[in-house]
């Protein structure tokens, strides 16, 4: 299912196709990607784990009926997923229970970084969400993740400093974007 599109990209559901599963494994098995996602927890170690990961995303996001989730970013020019963009409720201090705060985020394969895909995909899902009446969305970034910090700034997000409200109290650089007036 397509979630959003731009001039250069399609934001769509991850599928169980061999190409998508190979790309999920290639992205989420990499230390250089996973170190910024919970400090590496959940790193895929076997290609077969990709199917389980895609199914867990689908199951976790099913109650949101396509409004929120974790989706593939696919450039029209390549037809190969560059990474993921997400929009979802932030988990609270217990690390599990969803809060009323929404998070936008992105995870790109190293070969897809530096092309503006994260910014473009995030902007598309933010526009879509703000059109529903949502007033505010956050981005949380681990300290030192300069590429993600740069994406948040390109999106026009305001840096709030380090907060511990979500993800089990982890110290995260926090950015916020309010719905345009």
């Amino acid at each position: 299912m397509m979630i959003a599109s731009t001039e250069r990209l399609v934001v769509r559901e991850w599928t169980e196709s061999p190409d998508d599963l190979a790309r999920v494994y290639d992205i989420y098995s990499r230390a250089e990607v996973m170190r910024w996602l919970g400090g590496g927890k959940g790193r895929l170690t076997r290609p077969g784990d990709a199917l389980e990961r895609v199914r867990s995303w689908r199951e976790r996001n099913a109650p949101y009926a396509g409004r929120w989730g974790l989706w593939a970013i696919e450039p029209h020019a390549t037809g190969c997923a560059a990474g993921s963009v997400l929009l979802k409720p932030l988990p609270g201090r217990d690390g599990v229970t969803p809060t009323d705060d929404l998070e936008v985020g992105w995870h790109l394969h190293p070969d897809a970084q530096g092309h503006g895909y994260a910014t473009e995909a995030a902007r598309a899902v933010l526009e879509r969400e703000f059109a529903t009446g949502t007033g505010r969305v956050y981005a949380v970034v681990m300290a030192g993740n300069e590429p993600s910090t740069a994406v948040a700034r390109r999106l026009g997000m305001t840096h709030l400093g380090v907060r511990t409200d979500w993800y089990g109290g982890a110290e995260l650089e926090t950015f916020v974007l309010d719905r345009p007036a």
Side-chain angles (χ1 to χ4, degrees), residues 30-105:
R30 292 177 171 271
E32 67 264 40
V33 172
M34 294 304 295
R35 73 181 182 159
W36 304 117
L37 308 179
K41 296 176 191 164
R43 184 175 170 196
L44 300 181
T45 57
R46 297 174 299 124
D49 294 341
L51 178 60
E52 184 179 320
R53 180 67 51 93
V54 168
R55 287 179 176 169
S56 74
W57 291 335
R58 187 176 307 124
E59 182 180 311
R60 182 177 343 137
N61 296 313
Y64 306 131
R67 179 173 177 185
W68 301 325
L70 187 145
W71 306 294
I73 303 167
E74 184 177 302
H76 297 300
T78 67
C80 175
S84 299
V85 63
L86 62 89
L87 185 68
K88 65 180 185 71
L90 278 154
R93 286 188 183 266
D94 66 1
V96 178
T97 306
T99 67
D100 291 333
D101 298 323
L102 288 182
E103 172 188 16
V104 64

Side-chain angles (χ1 to χ4, degrees), residues 1 12 18 20 24 38 69 71 78 80 88-89 91 96 123 134 170-171:
M1 169 171 68
R12 62 168 176 79
D20 270 8
V24 166
W71 306 294
T78 67
C80 175
K88 65 180 185 71
V96 178
R123 188 169 283 125
T134 293
E171 292 185 359

Side-chain angles (χ1 to χ4, degrees), residues 109-153:
H109 190 284
D111 69 9
Q113 294 174 357
H115 301 283
Y117 297 148
T119 304
E120 190 171 330
R123 188 169 283 125
V125 299
L126 285 167
E127 287 174 5
R128 178 179 178 256
E129 183 60 26
F130 285 142
T132 72
T134 293
R136 173 173 283 181
V137 177
Y138 295 90
V140 293
V141 178
M142 289 184 68
N145 187 345
E146 296 306 320
S148 280
T149 296
V151 171
R153 291 191 190 287

